[in-house]
Structure formats: C-alpha cells, structure tokens
Amino acid sequence: TPYGVRRRGDLILALRLRERMKALRREYEIFQKPAPDWVTNAGADAHLYLEEPEKALVRYRQLLSKGWDPANGNITMAKYYTLVELGKYAEAEKVLEEFDVKTPAQLVDRGVLMDNPRKQEIALNRGWLLLYQDRLSKAQPTVDDLMSRSPFDSGTRNLMAHTDLWRGWPRLALEDF
C-alpha cells in the first residue's frame, strides 16, 4: 500500500539520521522497488558506511543518471568519495574537476555574499587525491597554495601535516598536527 511504502521510507530516513546502517540496509533490501530517490540515497549511504563501495557506487550513479542531485552536490561528492575508496583515482579526479567547474565560488545567503564552503572541500580533496596516489612531490605545491590561502583552517593544516609526514619530514608534520 502507498501508506506502507511511505512509512517504510520514513523509517529508512530515520535510520539514516541515527546512523543505524545495518538496520537501514535490511529495510532497504525489502523496500518495494523502484524506491524513491531519497530512499535510494539513504541505501547508498548505508552501503558505503558498511564497506560495500561497489553497491554504493551503483546507487549513486543511478541517482545522478536520473538528474537527482541536491543543489549542494552531496550525491556528486558521495560518488567521488566512493571512487576514492575503490581506488579509481582517475575517475574520481574527473568527477572532482567537473564538480569544481559547476560549483560557484560564492553564494548568496539572505542577501549576504559569502564564500562557498564546497570550493574549500574540493581544493582539500585535490590535495588528498594526490597523496592517496603517492604523488607527494606534486601534492606539495598544491598544499602550499592552500596553506597560503587559509593557514588557520584545520582541514588544510591536517592535509599539510600528512603531506610532511608521508614525505618523511616528521618534525614539520608535528608542527602542523
């Protein structure tokens, strides 16, 4: 019945908010298909959380192919993180670059112009992606540029510390940690 479908969908969303992913996965698997997009998104999140990135990637691709991605780009970034988890770095880099082009540098919130925090997330992920691929010497200028732009951002400091540590410079890394 439509009532039962909506009720189960709401239960799945509640389980997602409480981060009870095993229960969510169980409910998602018995959900009447095709599931609404917001239920599919919760199911994909559960698969990723429970270390089933291949299944999560299928769901995220399904959502993106239908054109369903909230304005903030959460599905696109979830797909990116899933690709990184799977070690598909070239595809992840492509997703990140395409998302960077689509993401505006600034947003208007209640009439106030402000920086878009997604741009910082994209920039940090560019550095992390280089580190994951063991391209440390190429990551260094990227991280240095980030440090010059936002030296007091904890995410930037963490990236810098890991870059120094993985390059074999523990004393420099300790300063940033």
Side-chain angles (χ1 to χ4, degrees), residues 120 145-154 156-157 176:
Q120 176 72 6
D145 181 52
L146 276 171
M147 282 295 288
S148 69
R149 287 196 232 166
S150 56
F152 301 110
D153 178 66
S154 61
T156 305
R157 284 269 174 209
D176 287 314

Side-chain angles (χ1 to χ4, degrees), residues 4 21 47 50 56-57 65 72 99 141 153:
M21 299 303 188
H47 286 305
L50 296 170
L57 186 58
S65 71
N72 59 13
F99 188 57
D153 178 66

Side-chain angles (χ1 to χ4, degrees), residues 19-49:
E19 295 185 8
R20 295 186 50 207
M21 299 303 188
K22 286 183 181 178
L24 190 158
R25 181 178 55 188
R26 242 186 344 268
E27 291 296 325
Y28 181 76
E29 296 196 358
I30 60 174
F31 193 86
Q32 178 181 337
K33 304 295 187 267
D37 294 336
W38 51 275
V39 172
T40 302
N41 183 29
D45 291 346
H47 286 305
L48 187 57
Y49 185 90

Side-chain angles (χ1 to χ4, degrees), residues 87-102:
K88 297 181 178 185
Y89 300 125
E91 192 177 345
E93 186 173 7
K94 183 180 175 197
V95 168
L96 198 61
E97 292 305 318
E98 288 173 1
F99 188 57
D100 189 21
V101 169
K102 290 191 299 188

